[in-house]
Amino acid sequence: MSIYTDYLNEIEARKEQGLNPKPIDGDALINEVIGHIREKESAHRDDCLHFFIYNTLPGTTSAAGAKAQFLKEIILGEAEIDEITPKFAYELLRHMKGGPSVEVLLDLALGTDEENAREAAEVLKTQVFLYEADTDRIKDAHDADNTVATDLLDSYAKAEFFTKLPEIDEEIKVVTYIAAEGDISTDLLSPGNQAHSRADRELHGKCMISETAQKEIEALKLKHPDARVMLIAEKGTMGVGSSRMSGVNNVALWTGTQASSYVPFVNIAPVVAGTNGISPIFLTTVGVTGGIGVDLKNWVKKLDEDGKPILNNDGDAILEELYSVATGTVLTINTQKKKLYSEDGSEELVDMAGSFTPQKMEFMKAGGSYAIVFGKKLQTFAAQTLGIEAPLVFAPSKEISHEGQGLTAVEKIFNANAVGIAPGKVLHAGSDARVRINIVGSQDTTGPMTAQELEAMAATVLSPSVDGAYQSGCHTASVWDAKAQANTPKLMAFMHKFGLVTGRDPKGVYHSMTDVIHKVLNDITVDDWAIIIGGDSHTRMSKGVAFGADSGTVALALATGEATMPIPESVKVTFTGKMADHMDFRDVVHATQAQMLAQHGDNVFQGRIIEVHIGTLLADQAFTFTDWTAEMKAKASICISNDETLIESLEIAKSRIQIMIEKGMENDAKMLQGLIDIADARIAQIRSGEKPALKPDDNAKYFAEVVVDLDEIVEPMIADPDVNNADVSKRYTHDTIRPISFYRAEKKVDLGFVGSCMVHKGDIKIVAQMLRNLEEQYGSVEFQAPLVVAAPTYNIIDELKAEGDWAILQKYCGFEFDDTSPKLKARTEYENILYLERPGCNLCMGNQEKAAKGDTVLATSTRLFQGRVVADSATRKGESLLGSTPVVVLSAILGRTPTLEEYKVAVQGIDLTKFAPPLIKPLDSLSVHF
């Protein structure tokens, strides 16, 4: 049976799901398609012409390579296809974006046939995804006095690929659709449990919001054909939780415009909005597609005569509506005046200057940010080759410099890694910066899309300027099901070939590692001045500054080693007082959120850097704080450590990287050894005094400061989704922080979960020691609720076994993972036992396994969004409460939240944390965490 016959069978199967034929990405299939096109009598010829023209993926896919070569044959007259003239062949090459299509165009442009050279050059002038091999050919031809090459360089230097594009419309009509009330997690737009289908864009589009919502959006489009649907988070922020390129892709698929008539299911330019704007990491993703993000500000706090907020019985500010955006409301966006108006333009509703910065308008004009990034590099290359100064075409980067003002930590890092600024120039917050990226991480549920993006931008190899890059397998670690088996090995092979260190070895030499990506990135970040980009919102390292990003921005960082973004403002977090012995560091994290809100009223962390002066904590435990900052809606975070602590953290990182090498994970470029070398150099700088640990200047300027009083932290705290709050917008946020006494030991707990990126070795040791404590007190331990424990990495498990802690866990567990026989299907029922799960994201991710519907889950993880860890049942709302490891363990044993006294007894003798404000010198002994 031929591959094409298999494809036809797949088409029939997809029809039953209401889907079109899957886009073709393989050369074996497209070559059979081409064979039917060549055979004029073939019964499949018409279908194959359609597949070839409209259903073949562009870029560097093997199908694109075969398609480009066939188009070249047509142009040269070596193949004659009535339906595809040479002129049409050039048009198809123009839409293929790069890679083999550019190679074919260069063959023709630099060839001896003058007419073809001219035609091919005109198409090349519209292309921006050129790499060194391509630009070298043009330069060599120019040096050899090839006039076509010189003409190309002249066009590139003028950036005609951009200047000749149509301007964006002055007025854009939008019709509103309220997706939900309150903060909208990207899980609503691209559910985690559908992660396996993200690379199949049409199929994945079926999971956005609901089938009902999709029909309502389609109805709005039919009723208002001249308007674009604007998706809204009413009384909330759009896109919290993660960046989710797949979420933006889904919104664009249903509400945007088709990027190319010859590329299926790739849409751009969605319009998304929120009463409180767009989550920072999600807004970056919107820019990737040239979309528009709107901060509606349509609800504001109601004020009394003295200008103070009027509060309700719960102590929350009462909101009043300034203007309605009810579903079906038609509004007008004026892109020149940068304002949102009523439908007829008579009433100004909100200023949109932030939505239409010069840079964002360039993204919109070019159809996305990639084209601008590559276009700028191409213009620079052409101008340098011609020996001229590049004309000012693109909006100049905003450069803000305040004389006499010091630098925050993030300002120092950005200045140190800046590319293309004048020597001696110092940039402050608000400046646009093009920066070198040191560390890049790709995870396995967004990785297939990153691979697609790399193919689409014609990238074939990791940028040599990247110090470290890792592809994880953690998000699909729980269940080795058919979906994981189909997607993961293919992804790992692609990324291994591209130049990354991969969690799974395509050659099968080393044991597959499902270690949580954030933990691996935290270990391979070996410089506190590094910039890290990762394909997950929890890319928040305790060394350097890390930004969670969409799959496309990850692809861009892998391909170019660069990113462009504004330097964010910072909020300084310091500590006073002393930690009580019975408190866990997780409670410091919760207290920071609660005390910040109490001090400032609003979330001053949103969209900014949290600069936390954590000083005395090693990288593992400090990561607990930085990881949580994603839920604080911060842009990123930076830990300010003292010299001794940083050196010890780097030594630990070195040892873990060495273990990766010993396990066989080193790649051909010796990347892991290179990271050890960087760590050694950094340690030497600190010890010699040449370059101490990163610290802000004393006269740095902050947006705000938060002082956390440790003396106020007297009992464990829980982040509560508050599922029954009368104000829907207050549900499922991370702002409701409650002491355990609030629950009066009456809150039933159906399942406990210790795991995900918020825990480390110390947390698992706490579980072990609590079991010993309770065993000694009661003779044995009985679980009244299931307790699922998932260590973040295999290294941690190895260390726990060596130190004797794993044995007590095994004694009480009723299930222990076995990599030689991994689970093939998700668990749907839980017994009241201890489960030792495979390292990875497990329940926190929620894409493979969940708690039973309607359960109350108490977890150490970060996710309390509706439906993420636990879905609602017909009769009960699922609740995902978040707390410290000791609280979770004790609650699973009791089947309810504990009293403070029960908690103190259970943790007696356990050294939970050695955290102290930085002014206090590090204590000599290490806590259980280390």
Side-chain angles (χ1 to χ4, degrees):
M1 186 177 289
S2 72
I3 295 174
Y4 182 70
T5 304
D6 291 341
Y7 186 54
L8 294 180
N9 292 335
E10 181 188 74
I11 289 172
E12 290 304 312
R14 288 174 71 86
K15 276 184 183 178
E16 295 178 8
Q17 302 176 65
L19 299 171
N20 290 288
K22 194 172 182 178
I24 299 171
D25 62 0
D27 58 350
L29 176 55
I30 202 65
N31 280 329
E32 280 199 43
V33 167
I34 291 170
H36 285 294
I37 294 172
R38 293 183 192 274
E39 187 182 336
K40 295 190 181 292
E41 303 304 317
S42 170
H44 299 290
R45 189 169 184 276
D46 288 346
D47 284 342
C48 286
L49 276 165
H50 179 86
F51 296 147
F52 179 84
I53 294 169
Y54 298 104
N55 210 47
T56 305
L57 290 180
T60 56
T61 64
S62 58
K67 181 175 181 176
Q69 287 302 315
F70 186 47
L71 292 173
K72 183 180 181 182
E73 286 183 45
I74 293 171
I75 289 168
L76 294 175
E78 296 170 1
E80 190 172 326
I81 306 297
D82 294 339
E83 296 86 351
I84 305 176
T85 63
K87 182 178 180 181
F88 188 33
Y90 276 120
E91 175 67 3
L92 291 175
L93 286 167
R94 185 171 73 85
H95 285 258
M96 290 179 67
K97 300 180 85 172
S101 61
V102 165
E103 183 181 352
V104 164
L105 288 167
L106 283 171
D107 290 344
L108 297 166
L110 304 179
T112 56
D113 186 307
E114 291 184 10
E115 184 177 348
N116 276 332
R118 186 180 67 254
E119 291 278 351
E122 288 306 307
V123 177
L124 277 169
K125 289 177 183 178
T126 68
Q127 305 297 294
V128 294
F129 294 111
L130 276 68
Y131 289 84
E132 194 171 326
D134 306 315
T135 54
D136 282 351
R137 289 184 68 184
I138 298 171
K139 183 180 185 301
D140 291 344
H142 164 72
D143 292 343
D145 297 325
N146 183 301
T147 57
V148 172
T150 302
D151 182 48
L152 266 177
L153 289 170
D154 181 66
S155 176
Y156 290 154
K158 295 174 181 174
E160 291 180 339
F161 48 77
F162 176 74
T163 60
K164 291 190 174 183
L165 293 172
E167 297 296 329
I168 63 174
D169 294 335
E170 182 175 347
E171 284 194 347
I172 299 172
K173 291 279 187 186
V174 295
V175 58
T176 62
Y177 183 80
I178 294 179
E181 192 171 350
D183 286 355
I184 291 183
S185 161
T186 47
D187 251 19
L188 185 70
L189 311 178
S190 169
N193 62 7
Q194 298 298 312
H196 63 276
S197 67
R198 286 176 183 162
D200 186 346
R201 293 194 181 204
E202 185 191 19
L203 173 59
H204 195 65
K206 299 283 187 182
C207 72
M208 188 187 84
I209 308 178
S210 67
E211 187 177 351
T212 299
Q214 294 162 19
K215 289 178 179 177
E216 290 170 347
I217 289 169
E218 287 297 287
L220 284 173
K221 287 159 67 176
L222 288 173
K223 187 176 180 180
H224 303 279
D226 61 337
R228 288 155 67 178
V229 175
M230 179 166 71
L231 207 68
I232 295 173
E234 176 78 320
K235 293 185 181 178
T237 303
M238 173 65 79
V240 300
S242 58
S243 45
R244 289 283 165 87
M245 189 76 227
S246 53
V248 172
N249 283 346
N250 279 350
V251 177
L253 189 65
W254 288 103
T255 68
T257 58
Q258 192 172 2
S260 165
S261 54
Y262 305 112
V263 182
F265 312 118
V266 177
N267 284 17
I268 58 174
V271 184
V272 294
T275 293
N276 301 325
I278 318 298
S279 173
I281 52 177
F282 194 63
L283 188 57
T284 300
T285 318
V286 172
V288 168
T289 65
I292 301 172
V294 187
D295 189 354
L296 292 170
K297 301 176 183 173
N298 58 316
W299 288 88
V300 298
K301 293 178 181 178
K302 194 171 184 178
L303 306 178
D304 61 20
E305 294 177 354
D306 298 324
K308 296 180 179 179
I310 301 174
L311 306 180
N312 62 18
N313 292 336
D314 294 325
D316 295 323
I318 295 174
L319 301 178
E320 59 181 346
E321 187 178 44
L322 294 184
Y323 62 95
S324 174
V325 292
T327 294
T329 304
V330 178
L331 304 170
T332 300
I333 295 173
N334 189 299
T335 63
Q336 298 303 308
K337 296 180 181 178
K338 303 180 181 181
K339 297 180 186 296
L340 180 68
Y341 292 94
S342 57
E343 180 178 6
D344 61 5
S346 61
E347 183 183 358
E348 179 185 325
L349 302 177
V350 72
D351 181 81
M352 290 183 61
S355 302
F356 294 106
T357 64
Q359 287 75 23
K360 289 178 181 178
M361 293 182 78
E362 287 176 347
F363 297 165
M364 295 170 199
K365 178 177 176 177
S369 58
Y370 300 164
I372 297 299
V373 173
F374 278 84
K376 287 180 177 179
K377 293 185 74 172
L378 188 56
Q379 184 192 31
T380 299
F381 152 76
Q384 289 174 346
T385 304
L386 293 174
I388 63 173
E389 186 174 338
L392 186 61
V393 171
F394 299 101
S397 295
K398 186 191 296 182
E399 294 187 350
I400 298 173
S401 186
H402 303 293
E403 188 174 349
Q405 180 178 308
L407 297 174
T408 64
V410 73
E411 288 169 340
K412 284 191 172 185
I413 292 176
F414 268 67
N415 277 278
N417 288 281
V419 176
I421 63 170
K425 183 78 172 181
V426 175
L427 301 178
H428 285 95
S431 300
D432 296 315
R434 183 173 143 221
V435 290
R436 179 185 168 229
I437 302 301
N438 309 95
I439 304 291
V440 186
S442 170
Q443 51 99 332
D444 41 322
T445 55
T446 61
M449 295 176 61
T450 297
Q452 279 189 342
E453 298 287 348
L454 288 168
E455 289 176 330
M457 63 178 68
T460 58
V461 66
L462 179 69
S463 169
S465 67
V466 173
D467 295 327
Y470 179 72
Q471 171 63 57
S472 82
C474 57
H475 283 60
T476 52
S478 300
V479 185
W480 189 235
D481 57 14
K483 295 165 185 175
Q485 291 173 43
N487 291 332
T488 306
K490 180 181 176 182
L491 170 64
M492 295 292 172
F494 179 95
M495 291 301 188
H496 179 83
K497 182 180 178 183
F498 198 83
L500 282 72
V501 171
T502 55
R504 175 178 287 270
D505 183 8
K507 300 174 185 176
V509 174
Y510 60 82
H511 180 79
S512 298
M513 300 290 121
T514 56
D515 297 343
V516 177
I517 180 173
H518 323 302
K519 291 298 188 183
V520 177
L521 293 184
N522 203 39
D523 285 338
I524 70 172
T525 299
V526 288
D527 187 351
D528 50 327
W529 291 74
I531 297 180
I532 305 98
I533 292 285
D536 191 286
S537 61
H538 288 98
T539 305
R540 309 280 171 132
M541 304 303 101
S542 51
K543 301 183 290 289
V545 62
F547 298 94
D550 59 275
S551 55
T553 301
V554 171
L556 198 63
L558 290 171
T560 67
E562 295 181 8
T564 300
M565 65 185 94
I567 302 177
E569 296 175 303
S570 294
V571 176
K572 185 178 182 179
V573 175
T574 55
F575 303 89
T576 62
K578 183 180 182 298
M579 281 287 289
D581 291 339
H582 63 280
M583 300 308 300
D584 184 84
F585 183 69
R586 179 66 180 260
D587 297 307
V588 176
V589 174
H590 288 314
T592 300
Q593 180 87 340
Q595 292 189 28
M596 175 273 294
L597 291 169
Q599 290 172 27
H600 293 278
D602 291 318
N603 185 358
V604 294
F605 292 150
Q606 183 163 343
R608 300 183 177 92
I609 302 292
I610 299 178
E611 183 184 283
V612 55
H613 290 245
I614 214 137
T616 60
L617 285 182
L618 295 177
D620 276 1
Q621 198 175 2
F623 181 80
T624 303
F625 189 100
T626 60
D627 196 29
W628 180 259
T629 61
E631 311 313 333
M632 297 178 186
K633 301 180 185 176
K635 182 80 173 175
S637 58
I638 291 180
C639 283
I640 305 301
S641 296
N642 59 33
D643 289 350
E644 296 83 0
T645 302
L646 179 57
I647 289 172
E648 191 170 351
S649 291
L650 291 174
E651 292 287 3
I652 292 170
K654 281 173 54 185
S655 67
R656 290 177 178 168
I657 295 169
Q658 184 59 47
I659 291 171
M660 293 173 73
I661 294 173
E662 291 166 2
K663 287 181 175 178
M665 298 177 73
E666 182 66 284
N667 65 6
D668 295 340
K670 304 295 181 186
M671 178 182 287
L672 295 174
Q673 183 57 52
L675 290 168
I676 291 176
D677 295 342
I678 292 170
D680 282 334
R682 183 69 188 106
I683 290 169
Q685 287 178 329
I686 299 168
R687 283 184 171 148
S688 68
E690 175 191 347
K691 190 177 181 181
L694 172 68
K695 286 181 174 59
D697 291 329
D698 291 337
N699 58 340
K701 185 177 180 181
Y702 295 90
F703 175 83
E705 295 194 28
V706 174
V707 180
V708 180
D709 186 351
L710 300 175
D711 291 331
E712 290 186 9
I713 309 174
V714 294
E715 60 177 306
M717 286 172 280
I718 287 173
D720 194 320
D722 205 8
V723 298
N724 296 309
N725 193 311
D727 183 349
V728 177
S729 69
K730 301 292 185 183
R731 300 176 189 172
Y732 305 106
T733 75
H734 287 75
D735 292 344
T736 302
I737 307 294
R738 289 169 169 158
I740 56 167
S741 58
F742 173 87
Y743 303 97
R744 300 180 181 179
E746 297 171 351
K747 182 75 173 178
K748 184 175 182 290
V749 173
D750 299 301
L751 185 146
F753 173 50
V754 174
S756 86
C757 49
M758 283 293 280
V759 300
H760 48 88
K761 176 183 172 182
D763 289 279
I764 313 301
K765 290 180 76 68
I766 287 172
V767 177
Q769 190 57 47
M770 287 184 70
L771 291 175
R772 293 188 190 102
N773 283 2
L774 293 166
E775 184 181 67
E776 182 178 348
Q777 185 175 2
Y778 299 108
S780 66
V781 179
E782 296 283 337
F783 287 92
Q784 300 304 312
L787 177 62
V788 178
V789 174
T793 69
Y794 286 89
N795 283 353
I796 285 173
I797 292 175
D798 291 342
E799 291 169 16
L800 292 169
K801 288 179 178 178
E803 295 165 14
D805 293 293
W806 196 252
I808 187 73
L809 299 176
Q810 287 177 312
K811 177 179 178 179
Y812 282 102
C813 84
F815 171 88
E816 183 176 2
F817 75 93
D818 179 1
D819 277 339
T820 64
S821 180
K823 284 186 298 183
L824 298 179
K825 60 181 182 179
R827 183 181 289 112
T828 55
E829 295 180 353
Y830 296 83
E831 300 177 53
N832 291 344
I833 57 174
L834 172 63
Y835 294 84
L836 294 179
E837 288 287 358
R838 198 179 193 191
C841 300
N842 201 272
L843 285 163
C844 182
M845 181 60 194
N847 64 312
Q848 292 183 315
E849 291 197 298
K850 291 182 183 292
K853 290 183 178 180
D855 271 2
T856 294
V857 180
L858 187 55
T860 61
S861 69
T862 58
R863 299 311 201 190
L864 49 64
F865 307 127
Q866 186 174 19
R868 181 65 177 265
V869 174
V870 56
D872 297 340
S873 71
T875 57
R876 288 179 63 194
K877 290 180 179 291
E879 295 182 79
S880 176
L881 293 88
L882 310 179
S884 67
T885 293
V887 168
V888 172
V889 173
L890 186 55
S891 298
I893 291 170
L894 298 173
R896 58 169 171 79
T897 52
T899 65
L900 181 56
E901 286 309 311
E902 287 172 328
Y903 168 84
K904 286 182 176 180
V905 169
V907 300
Q908 193 168 5
I910 301 177
D911 205 355
L912 295 172
T913 181
K914 285 295 185 184
F915 172 64
L919 290 178
I920 300 175
K921 291 184 178 181
L923 297 163
D924 295 332
S925 61
L926 293 176
S927 77
V928 69
H929 286 271
F930 312 112

